[in-house]
Amino acid sequence: LVNKVYLFRGVSHDLLFQLVSEMKAEYFPPREDVILQNEAPTDFYILVTGIVDLVDHKNGIEQIVREANPGELVGEIGVLCYRPQLFTIRTKKLCQLLRLNRNSFLSIIQSNVGDGTVIMNNLLQYLKEQKDHVMQGVLRETENMLARGRLDLPLTLCFAATRGDDLLLHQLLRRGLDPNESDNNGWSALVCNRSRHLSFCFFSSR
């Protein structure tokens, strides 16, 4: 189940085993609030069984944004971007969820830098695929935080080089990261940056 979640696609088996060992299975009755909108992001959840509503509160009025079904994540954007939770998560029926604490998650990721980069790429891709204005705003905010090195996920130099993000690249170099260090595919930041430049020149000339 965890392997199929969008956020963890492409991560190492070692990371998956570490994450699963930290997850706690919990059951919630119908119409129970699992997460409250605007609360501090302490946990995120994988829905195993049941259905939950993502509820938006505006001017004292509740609006159901969408449903989440088994295999989906809830609360992860608040945890990864360290911002107040976007929505209230409310069960529609008896639900089983796997809870992962933010501090435990970040502790595991800190020792798996390559996997941290994969997770961030997965999150950015997910946000880009969302068409509503709220998620587009989160995407812009997340990319700004990335450029300033304010996210807690460990990132590789190759991640910054591939994105062409010079500000993030300088931030990571100032932290002492080795520009010759390889990512999971054996590419270094210098190769990534050179490859991106050549591709840009090729398409520009066409």
Side-chain angles (χ1 to χ4, degrees), residues 7-127:
L7 198 64
F8 303 130
R9 289 175 189 156
V11 301
S12 67
H13 289 295
D14 285 345
L15 180 75
L16 286 175
F17 285 126
Q18 291 178 64
L19 291 174
V20 169
S21 69
E22 290 292 332
M23 291 180 179
K24 311 297 182 187
E26 297 183 355
Y27 291 87
F28 294 86
R31 296 198 57 77
E32 181 87 2
D33 289 343
V34 180
I35 293 174
L36 295 176
Q37 188 175 25
N38 293 323
E39 74 176 359
T42 56
D43 305 281
F44 65 96
Y45 298 81
I46 300 175
L47 184 58
V48 181
T49 60
I51 301 173
V52 299
D53 283 329
L54 278 65
V55 183
D56 188 20
H57 300 265
K58 284 185 179 177
N59 302 319
I61 300 174
E62 290 188 352
Q63 179 181 0
I64 296 176
V65 177
R66 69 175 183 88
E67 289 182 348
N69 297 292
E72 291 192 58
L73 279 172
V74 290
E76 81 283 7
I77 293 174
V79 166
L80 292 174
C81 302
Y82 200 59
R83 54 171 296 152
Q85 292 290 3
L86 294 173
F87 307 108
T88 290
I89 308 301
R90 181 174 299 153
T91 58
K92 296 188 74 169
K93 55 176 71 174
L94 176 65
C95 292
Q96 181 190 6
L97 298 103
L98 296 177
R99 177 173 63 85
L100 184 58
N101 177 263
R102 180 179 188 271
N103 291 334
S104 299
F105 171 71
L106 291 177
S107 177
I108 292 171
I109 296 299
Q110 291 300 328
S111 58
N112 295 270
V113 178
D115 287 321
T117 297
V118 172
I119 288 172
M120 181 51 64
N121 273 323
N122 288 341
L123 175 66
L124 292 174
Q125 184 60 39
Y126 172 79
L127 292 174

